[in-house]
Amino acid sequence: VKPLLNTKREHLVTFFKQSQSRLGYDYKKIKSNIEFASYKKNYKSFSIISANNGEGATTTCLHLAMTFAKDGKKVLLIDGNLQKPILNKLFLIENDYGLSNVLIGQKKFADVLNMTEFADMKLITAGQGNNHFKNLFNSSAMENLLEEAKQSFDYIFIDNSAIFDGETGKIIASKTDGTVFVVRNKKTEVKQMIEAKKVLKTYDVNLLGVILNDKNPSLSKKLVGR
Ligand SMILES: Nc1ncnc2c1ncn2[C@@H]1O[C@H](COP(=O)(O)OP(=O)(O)O)[C@@H](O)[C@H]1O
Ligand SMILES: [Mg+2]
């Protein structure tokens, strides 16, 4: 494990254990909004997406999943970033089989479910690469997987690849009940936000809301050690 990954792992472990923190408070607010959509419209599957890489989709997805798991909800986290999987590395879980293997019919949902070190949180890694995902996502495999997951989980969070980085992120997002769009302070340009929103609409993504990430960089420096 690279030193940077170790730092991120440590941060996640601390975040999970901590009962009170400024960061935890911010995520709890987002949790309430998601719970409202969940309660009102019976939404269970959520995808987290950003316009470009490096804007905080993965970070947001992880913290949200953990915030729900901390509250005793049964959470399934899915690494939907098939090109650049990362969750397996953070959780020290092998990525031999995962989402992509279920999508091509090679593995069943139950075969790819991993326990994590965090109570109430399970993980499906991205799985091994395959270049034909675009067609796959136009099949019903993703919907079937989500339907099955809904039987045993309260909330499903998918970490997606960026809107402007290939097709799969947007397609996966369109298969979930709702999508949260993450923009990063001082990084995501307004022009791109507007364009990204249009793209999500084209892909028939149900946009629930926008999260402003890294609003207070001095605070995040303290918390994440950036
Ligand atoms: N609010 C934040 N404070 C500090 N570091 C952050 C914050 N959000 C993201 N990062 C860091 O920035 C990098 C990119 O974030 P990441 O969540 O992986 O973005 P994406 O999934 O959109 O590519 C990572 O190293 C992550 O730890
Ligand atoms: Mg990411």
Side-chain angles (χ1 to χ4, degrees):
V1 183
K2 293 184 190 130
L4 189 64
L5 270 179
N6 260 333
T7 310
K8 286 189 178 134
R9 274 186 59 77
E10 277 163 27
H11 165 76
L12 288 176
V13 171
T14 308
F15 180 78
F16 195 78
K17 280 192 208 143
Q18 254 171 1
S19 56
Q20 301 272 336
S21 70
R22 168 69 203 274
L23 192 62
Y25 175 77
D26 286 344
Y27 281 108
K28 271 186 204 154
K29 279 196 293 193
I30 303 167
K31 174 173 173 277
S32 306
N33 292 335
I34 290 178
E35 275 172 331
F36 186 70
S38 178
Y39 165 78
K40 193 105 198 254
K41 302 197 165 162
N42 204 21
Y43 290 169
K44 279 191 153 193
S45 59
F46 299 91
S47 44
I48 318 297
I49 203 163
S50 59
N52 307 289
N53 291 318
E55 294 177 346
T58 299
T59 303
T60 305
C61 188
L62 276 167
H63 286 87
L64 273 181
M66 288 193 156
T67 303
F68 278 88
K70 276 168 82 159
D71 192 34
K73 301 288 187 282
K74 286 190 206 126
V75 174
L76 173 62
L77 186 59
I78 301 179
D79 194 339
N81 196 333
L82 303 168
Q83 279 84 12
K84 300 176 191 102
I86 181 81
L87 299 186
N88 56 301
K89 292 180 192 157
L90 280 169
F91 288 91
L92 303 178
I93 286 171
E94 290 299 325
N95 186 30
D96 294 336
Y97 300 105
L99 175 64
S100 57
N101 304 89
V102 176
L103 295 177
I104 59 174
Q106 203 181 51
K107 289 277 164 191
K108 292 208 165 69
F109 172 70
D111 302 330
V112 295
L113 267 185
N114 295 287
M115 306 249 290
T116 72
E117 65 205 275
F118 306 106
D120 293 315
M121 202 159 99
K122 291 209 165 63
L123 172 73
I124 294 183
T125 64
Q128 296 301 327
N130 181 311
N131 293 323
H132 308 294
F133 290 125
K134 195 175 173 194
N135 293 338
L136 282 171
F137 292 127
N138 293 328
S139 80
S140 56
M142 188 75 206
E143 280 97 334
N144 294 344
L145 183 146
L146 289 173
E147 276 316 306
E148 204 169 342
K150 284 178 185 180
Q151 316 282 314
S152 36
F153 291 93
D154 301 319
Y155 293 90
I156 303 149
F157 290 100
I158 308 186
D159 177 26
N160 279 338
S161 55
I163 293 168
F164 299 127
D165 184 19
E167 294 295 311
T168 55
K170 296 163 276 199
I171 300 171
I172 295 182
S174 74
K175 311 264 178 185
T176 57
D177 296 331
T179 294
V180 174
F181 177 33
V182 177
V183 301
R184 190 162 186 169
N185 190 26
K186 300 198 169 94
K187 188 162 188 293
T188 320
E189 289 166 19
V190 173
K191 212 173 70 190
Q192 289 180 325
M193 292 179 204
I194 295 166
E195 183 58 26
K197 207 181 152 201
K198 274 189 208 151
V199 172
L200 292 180
K201 200 167 176 198
T202 311
Y203 278 75
D204 207 18
V205 169
N206 182 18
L207 181 62
L208 296 180
V210 181
I211 291 178
L212 176 61
N213 178 34
D214 216 0
K215 185 174 144 201
N216 185 345
S218 61
L219 183 76
S220 68
K221 194 172 174 183
K222 235 170 57 194
L223 288 164
V224 194
R226 193 163 57 115

